[in-house]
Amino acid sequence: LLGGAASFVGMQVMGGMVDRIGASRSYLLSCILLVMVLGLWFVAIPPLVPVLLAFPLFMVAMSGRNIPFQTLTSRVPPIAQRAQYMALSTATAQAAASLGASVGPLLLGATAEGHIVGLPRTCLIAMASILLAPPLIAWLEGAVRNNEAKWTCAQPKSVPD
């Protein structure tokens, strides 16, 4: 309940932030928060953040990355191809999530006592992957702006009656 409520509020804040400072900067801030939470919650042994604080922050960071990403990617294709593009984008994201869910168990294990092993290493890999995305998002935002400028210039000007 706490994670869902935090996510709901965080998404509203992130929506406003995307409108004010842009998708790539908002995405970067969410990634920084996510990496901090993962590091303090999963890599640090024992965890440096209690679950009641870490989980809501984790939910805010995860959902917070989606707002700028979806806002930006919805601007990539021309309007006539937007639904097709979004379907392909969603399918690709689901395939990547499936791959991640398949690789995760290969990196993790358990001791005879039932303790999870390999979580810090797995989390460091995830953190590195998360930090690869913001430069790509910044590049995509620049490319989208350039394309939108070309589309705007290519539109015929209306002639007053």
Side-chain angles (χ1 to χ4, degrees):
L1 183 64
L2 191 56
S7 180
F8 179 78
V9 171
M11 285 190 287
Q12 302 307 309
V13 171
M14 183 56 70
M17 194 180 307
V18 170
D19 290 338
R20 282 191 311 279
I21 67 171
S24 60
R25 288 182 184 151
S26 301
Y27 190 86
L28 174 63
L29 292 175
S30 289
C31 287
I32 290 169
L33 176 61
L34 182 57
V35 166
M36 287 173 44
V37 170
L38 291 175
L40 294 173
W41 195 17
F42 289 114
V43 177
I45 305 293
L48 299 176
V49 179
V51 170
L52 286 177
L53 177 61
F55 185 68
L57 289 174
F58 174 79
M59 294 297 290
V60 166
M62 288 297 289
S63 62
R65 290 183 327 142
N66 287 333
I67 302 299
F69 181 77
Q70 292 297 328
T71 301
L72 181 58
T73 58
S74 70
R75 294 168 46 201
V76 169
I79 292 172
Q81 299 170 342
R82 190 161 292 160
Q84 222 174 10
Y85 173 82
M86 295 305 287
L88 178 61
S89 176
T90 300
T92 303
Q94 295 299 322
S98 176
L99 178 63
S102 300
V103 171
L106 300 175
L107 300 172
L108 299 172
T111 64
E113 297 83 29
H115 296 114
I116 298 174
V117 294
L119 192 55
R121 176 189 57 196
T122 304
C123 200
L124 289 170
I125 292 169
M127 292 163 67
S129 299
I130 290 164
L131 292 175
L132 290 175
L136 297 173
I137 295 295
W139 172 82
L140 180 61
E141 187 171 37
V144 165
R145 280 193 187 130
N146 288 339
N147 278 344
E148 287 175 342
K150 289 176 191 173
W151 294 338
T152 303
C153 292
Q155 296 293 323
K157 303 289 183 204
S158 60
V159 179
D161 293 326

